């Protein structure tokens, strides 16, 4: 839950606007009264009826007086906006709380509050606030919802003043606005062991000692609570006090999520398109692996890695998992198709090796890109690919029951290169595919005689 900065609006006299601003605020009723008054005055002159002139003057003066009084009325109000939450998954609702404070010594008249929101979030909210006493406040709220991910500005807040007769309306705008971030849908995933381990830390992880040999271990002084089995007796005899071996420092397991954003690899648009499924699947894997203690990064076909801490792009020890997840979710909220034609830039990032588990979400592939992915597999101890064939997503499910011949050839090439490659049908469940990928990895490990989970 975040709080927006407060803005202030003052309905006082504008030196440059003058009476022109007040006349521009006349409503349809005010303009009608003014026109009727002018017409009655002209008729009284033509017909010589003095009584009709008095009626015309009354009709014409009333809207002008209302405009002048409203324009010269000094209202000082402060407004604030609060989003709950400020980051929401696609298809979910967020509530926007508006608060108006009368900071002047005079009560206000009738106020109409209006907030500007993009059309994809719903209709523009409007509220009518009755008289607000001096020092008083009013609070209202409304809901917004979007099926499309993105970053949407809310505001600025507009305050419309009106007179009791409805002859004139003046609008004052606040200067501040907020941003609602709609992130991709995240599907909970089963805790499978795709990389041969169940957690980000464990006995199977690489560990680093201070030095390699038993005789070269750098000890430290004994601290209350240390296990006596860790006492280093040779150093104790040398220094004359209890010394213990330094604890082994576990290294966080790594996971790279590769998202193919090439525009030529996907067809169709909208929340049910293949590209949106790939973005949602990448978000689900990122959140799942972070929750299990992995050091995770998001990599795109353009070679950009998020988060960008350090040269390897992984979230380091100084970056909390929640912050890393928020940064990657914000990136996925606005990610769009790239103009690239291949995956070579992503391969250049992965050439350093020691990348940990590699999970890829891919669009249409040709033989060259399948070969590049085969070389990527050599840089990772485990690799899982979810391949989305655009034709199976654009056509009706009854027309395309399974992967087409070209897509099947690419899947076969990836599997021969060591990938656990799965075809993603239209509307598939990410959790089911995640479990299927684990079963296929287990089968590959059993066939090759490798170590199981």
């Amino acid at each position: 839950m975040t709080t927006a900065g407060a803005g202030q609006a003052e309905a006082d006299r504008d030196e440059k606007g003058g009476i022109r601003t007040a006349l521009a605020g006349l409503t349809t009723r005010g303009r009608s009264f003014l026109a009727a008054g002018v017409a009655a005055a002209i008729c009284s002159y033509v017909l010589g009826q003095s009584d009709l002139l008095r009626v015309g003057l009354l009709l014409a003066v009333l809207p002008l007086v209302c405009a002048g009084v409203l324009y010269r009325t000094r209202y000082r109000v402060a407004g604030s906006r609060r989003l709950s939450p400020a980051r929401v998954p696609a298809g979910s609702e967020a509530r926007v709380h508006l608060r108006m404070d009368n900071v002047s010594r005079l009560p206000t008249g009738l106020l109409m509050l209006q907030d500007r929101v993009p059309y994809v979030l719903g209709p523009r909210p409007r509220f009518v606030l009755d008289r607000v006493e001096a020092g008083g406040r009013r609070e209202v709220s409304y809901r917004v919802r979007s099926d499309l991910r993105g970053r949407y500005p809310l505001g600025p807040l507009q305050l419309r003043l009106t007179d009791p007769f409805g002859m004139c309306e003046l609008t004052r705008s606040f200067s501040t606005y907020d941003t609602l971030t709609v992130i991709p849908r995240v599907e909970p995933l089963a805790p499978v062991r795709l990389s041969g381990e169940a957690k980000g830390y464990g006995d199977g992880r690489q560990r680093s000692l201070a030095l390699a040999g038993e005789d070269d271990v750098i000890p430290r002084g004994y601290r209350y609570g240390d296990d006596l089995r860790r006492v280093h007796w040779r150093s104790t005899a040398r220094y004359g006090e209890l010394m213990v071996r330094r604890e082994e420092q576990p290294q966080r397991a790594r996971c790279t999520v590769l998202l193919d954003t090439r525009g030529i690899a996907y067809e169709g648009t909208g929340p049910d398109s293949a590209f949106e499924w790939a973005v949602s699947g990448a978000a689900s894997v990122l959140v799942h692996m972070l929750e299990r203690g992995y050091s995770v990064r998001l990599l795109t076909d353009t070679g950009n890695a998020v988060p960008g801490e350090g040269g390897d792009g992984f979230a380091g020890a100084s970056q909390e998992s929640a912050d890393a997840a928020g940064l990657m979710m914000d990136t996925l909220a606005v990610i769009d198709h790239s103009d690239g034609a291949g995956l070579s830039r992503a391969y250049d990032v992965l050439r350093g090796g020691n990348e940990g588990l590699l999970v890829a979400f891919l669009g249409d592939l040709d033989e060259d890109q399948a070969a590049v992915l085969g070389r990527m597999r050599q840089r990772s101890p485990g690799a899982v690919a979810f391949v989305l064939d655009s034709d199976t997503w654009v056509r009706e499910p009854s027309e395309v029951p399974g992967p087409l011949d070209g897509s099947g050839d690419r899947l076969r090439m990836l599997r021969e290169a060591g990938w656990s490659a799965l075809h993603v049908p239209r509307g598939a469940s990410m959790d089911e595919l995640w479990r299927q990928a684990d079963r296929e990895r287990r089968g590959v490990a059993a066939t090759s005689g490798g170590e199981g989970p």
Side-chain angles (χ1 to χ4, degrees), residues 85-100:
R87 185 188 290 117
V88 61
S92 301
E93 290 185 344
R95 182 170 289 275
V96 183
H97 302 268
L98 303 178
R99 172 177 166 178
M100 300 297 301

Side-chain angles (χ1 to χ4, degrees), residues 341-344 365-375 410 413:
L343 303 172
S344 57
L365 300 173
D366 54 23
E367 293 186 2
D368 294 336
Q369 304 314 315
V372 173
L373 290 168
R375 294 194 296 270
R410 308 300 176 260
M413 292 179 62

Side-chain angles (χ1 to χ4, degrees), residues 209-220:
L209 292 172
L211 289 177
E214 172 69 19
D215 295 335
D216 297 327
V217 171
I218 298 178
R220 63 170 175 81

